[in-house]
Amino acid sequence: MNYQLLLQLAVQGVLLGGVYGLIAVGLSLIFGVMGVINFAHGPMMVLGMYIAYGILVLLGLDPYVSLLLVAAALFLLGYLVQATVVNRILDFPEAMQVLPLVATGLIIENAVLLGFGPDPRSPRTALGLATLHLGPVMIDVSRLMAFGLAVIITGVVFLFLKYSDIGKSIRAAADNRVGALLVGIRVDRVNNFSFGVGAATTGAAGALLLPLMATSPHLGHDFTMTAFVVVILGGLGSLPGALVGGLILGVAESVSTIMVPATMKQVVSFALLVAIMLFRPQGLFGGRA
């Protein structure tokens, strides 16, 4: 076995896994607070990629800088979706919660298609061709930047939820909605804010992915499935679990290319999904927030 190649693939998997974790953090947060699975998650991430692309083309701002603007735009979109759609279906049976969010995802996907056209976009960024050498391992600087920022953003969200007053209100509403109402917490507004934060982290992940891959309006469904696999691996509602699940999935997909074509990496993802649901259905972190 070529151990240098194995180490190279493992490092690439860790770096991509950090971004996978950030993609899944938003989905895990929304499920943890509202108990709703956001089927528009992938299209929201793709919208974040296109907003970062538009800012790069029009203003020349690199995605690592514009991700704050992208996150702010997706926060507003998420807040609006929660206030106008999700709050009205929270008490519906789970099967009836699916269709409005699938429809929201399709609306976002087709809006992107209308605005940018069907052709893939692959912009050149300042660090697009930069590499570092660490012993026998070559590290893509764009992946390293994406990984570092993804870990920082995940940590900031975790600390925000744990220590801020708004974060404590979010956790109270997630633990006991009726109890939160009785102590005066405006649960609807807390839900709006939570969905906004989840969408903002998704938009930031989209901006970080833009230098790593070509974007297309139809990528969203693949990333929705990737986020599902990650949150189930880590445990629904667990933010640390989302990050760890992303790292596991990233390494598994990358290392598996030694044995299977890269185009079949989703086989590995879904094999992991089946295995975790058979042997530890609560996920590695058991749903702890």
Side-chain angles (χ1 to χ4, degrees):
M1 177 178 289
N2 186 335
Y3 291 103
Q4 184 174 337
L5 175 61
L6 184 63
L7 180 61
Q8 178 72 52
L9 291 173
V11 170
Q12 287 183 351
V14 168
L15 298 181
L16 182 60
V19 183
Y20 280 175
L22 181 60
I23 295 170
V25 160
L27 187 69
S28 192
L29 173 64
I30 291 167
F31 179 83
V33 177
M34 275 82 73
V36 170
I37 297 176
N38 179 20
F39 285 90
H41 198 74
M44 284 182 170
M45 199 210 70
V46 172
L47 178 61
M49 294 178 81
Y50 273 98
I51 293 174
Y53 171 78
I55 293 174
L56 177 65
V57 172
L58 295 176
L59 304 178
L61 284 180
D62 199 87
Y64 305 119
V65 178
S66 66
L67 71 86
L68 292 175
L69 298 175
V70 176
L74 266 293
F75 175 87
L76 292 176
L77 175 64
Y79 193 100
L80 184 64
V81 168
Q82 176 70 31
T84 58
V85 178
V86 182
N87 277 338
R88 297 170 185 269
I89 61 172
L90 278 181
D91 296 324
F92 287 10
E94 291 180 0
M96 293 182 67
Q97 293 176 349
V98 173
L99 288 178
L101 287 168
V102 169
T104 302
L106 289 172
I107 291 169
I108 294 171
E109 179 180 333
N110 282 279
V112 170
L113 185 62
L114 184 65
F116 292 91
D119 296 331
R121 309 292 178 103
S122 184
R124 290 183 180 180
T125 56
L127 300 175
L129 299 177
T131 57
L132 292 174
H133 290 270
L134 188 63
V137 177
M138 184 178 70
I139 298 175
D140 185 338
V141 174
S142 296
R143 287 178 184 265
L144 184 61
M145 287 285 291
F147 172 80
L149 288 169
V151 172
I152 289 171
I153 293 170
T154 304
V156 168
V157 172
F158 181 79
L159 293 175
F160 173 78
L161 292 175
K162 193 169 183 63
Y163 295 109
S164 72
D165 289 341
I166 299 176
K168 291 174 183 175
S169 297
I170 290 173
R171 288 192 290 128
D175 286 342
N176 190 324
R177 185 182 176 192
V178 175
L181 282 168
L182 290 174
V183 297
I185 294 175
R186 301 284 297 273
V187 172
D188 283 355
R189 290 189 180 181
V190 167
N191 288 347
N192 297 347
F193 190 86
S194 302
F195 204 108
V197 172
T201 59
T202 306
L208 293 177
L209 276 175
L210 184 64
L212 306 182
M213 62 179 62
T215 186
S216 162
H218 306 298
L219 276 179
H221 304 294
D222 289 344
F223 280 109
T224 299
M225 294 308 300
T226 298
F228 283 168
V229 174
V230 170
V231 296
I232 290 171
L233 270 175
L236 281 167
S238 169
L239 300 191
L243 184 59
V244 173
L247 294 175
I248 292 172
L249 183 63
V251 172
E253 284 188 353
S254 182
V255 172
S256 69
T257 57
I258 293 177
M259 295 170 284
V260 299
T263 52
M264 294 181 65
K265 65 180 184 180
Q266 285 193 330
V267 173
V268 177
S269 306
F270 289 114
L272 278 174
L273 175 67
V274 171
I276 197 74
M277 293 195 73
L278 286 176
F279 298 106
R280 191 172 170 82
Q282 73 273 33
L284 298 175
F285 281 67
R288 283 181 295 161

